[in-house]
Amino acid sequence: MKPVVHIVDDDESYRTATARLLSAHGHRVEVHESGDQFLARLPACEPGCVLLDLQMPGQSGLQIQRRLCELAPLLPVVFLTGEGDIKASVEAMKAGAKDFLEKSSTTAALMEAIDRALIQYERQRAEYDRLQAHRALVARLSPREGEVFRFLIRGHLNKQIAYALGISERTVKVHRHQVMEKLGVRSAAEAVSIAANIGFDLGR
């Protein structure tokens, strides 16, 4: 699916001109005259980025950005403003904005910002997909396998796991084998990598 560049700006002339410019450069574009309109139309999993006006009637660009962090955290934001507001730019960047450009920026600067944002999206999407795949693998473990997995990723030996769970070391070996099979890994280090990726506490 081709990424979409969303232009969110209450200035109709700027919105229209920018949409034509981006379309001429081969981008798929959607325009929104307010942040509320954009959020109402927000696609669930569509790739792309957002060109977001800082100052708009209703919710400001910063408020919309905060909502995007909740609703579509993968969508990178490039802020556009007609005012060189240093404080707002710092706040936007801290909140995760990919770039902060004045509307008077050159076409080349705008295109570079969009390219960076789309690359950022692809990286974040790949990481998100990997995270979901790992979560799905761990979810396949039985309750007992899940217990063995938690001991395994903390570096416990089979005899230590057996003692902690009140089962035989042989049974632990069977469960451990099943864990490795279901996770599709060949070593404890790979299992630890999966656990770390999905946020497991690796402390002993």
Side-chain angles (χ1 to χ4, degrees):
M1 182 182 296
K2 191 172 183 178
V4 177
V5 179
H6 296 276
I7 302 173
V8 186
D9 197 308
D10 64 303
D11 184 335
E12 183 177 0
S13 60
Y14 180 82
R15 193 170 65 236
T16 301
T18 304
R20 287 174 179 168
L21 176 65
L22 297 185
S23 295
H25 280 76
H27 287 291
R28 183 177 162 211
V29 181
E30 289 189 11
V31 296
H32 314 270
E33 64 184 27
S34 71
D36 290 328
Q37 184 186 82
F38 169 54
L39 293 177
R41 298 176 179 176
L42 188 64
C45 301
E46 196 170 47
C49 67
V50 185
L51 299 183
L52 184 58
D53 189 17
L54 181 64
Q55 303 293 347
M56 294 182 291
Q59 294 193 69
S60 70
L62 290 173
Q63 289 175 310
I64 297 300
Q65 181 191 27
R66 285 192 284 271
R67 291 290 289 141
L68 281 176
C69 288
E70 301 170 4
L71 301 174
L74 297 181
L75 278 181
V77 172
V78 176
F79 271 108
L80 296 169
T81 180
E83 304 170 9
D85 191 329
I86 302 296
K87 182 179 179 181
S89 67
V90 171
E91 186 176 347
M93 297 298 268
K94 283 183 177 179
K98 186 60 186 169
D99 265 307
F100 197 99
L101 298 175
E102 291 191 1
K103 291 184 179 180
S104 58
S105 296
T106 65
T107 297
L110 176 59
M111 294 304 165
E112 288 172 5
I114 291 172
D115 287 343
R116 286 193 296 270
L118 293 178
I119 290 171
Q120 171 84 359
Y121 174 86
E122 290 301 326
R123 288 174 179 165
Q124 292 182 163
R125 183 75 208 188
E127 179 59 31
Y128 175 80
D129 288 344
R130 184 162 51 251
L131 175 63
Q132 293 301 97
H134 286 169
R135 283 175 174 165
L137 289 175
V138 173
R140 293 175 56 206
L141 302 178
S142 70
R144 179 62 86 187
E145 289 165 355
E147 291 176 323
V148 171
F149 173 64
R150 285 170 174 78
F151 280 106
L152 170 64
I153 62 175
R154 293 178 173 87
H156 291 267
L157 302 175
N158 288 345
K159 61 182 179 181
Q160 293 174 312
I161 300 173
Y163 178 79
L165 297 180
I167 57 180
S168 70
E169 192 172 339
R170 181 176 181 178
T171 301
V172 170
K173 289 180 181 179
V174 171
H175 286 311
R176 182 170 179 148
H177 176 74
Q178 286 298 109
V179 168
M180 304 289 267
E181 284 284 313
K182 289 185 178 181
L183 296 183
V185 299
R186 297 182 179 181
S187 68
E190 290 180 85
V192 169
S193 178
I194 288 178
N197 191 41
I198 62 177
F200 268 71
D201 178 10
L202 302 181
R204 292 176 181 273

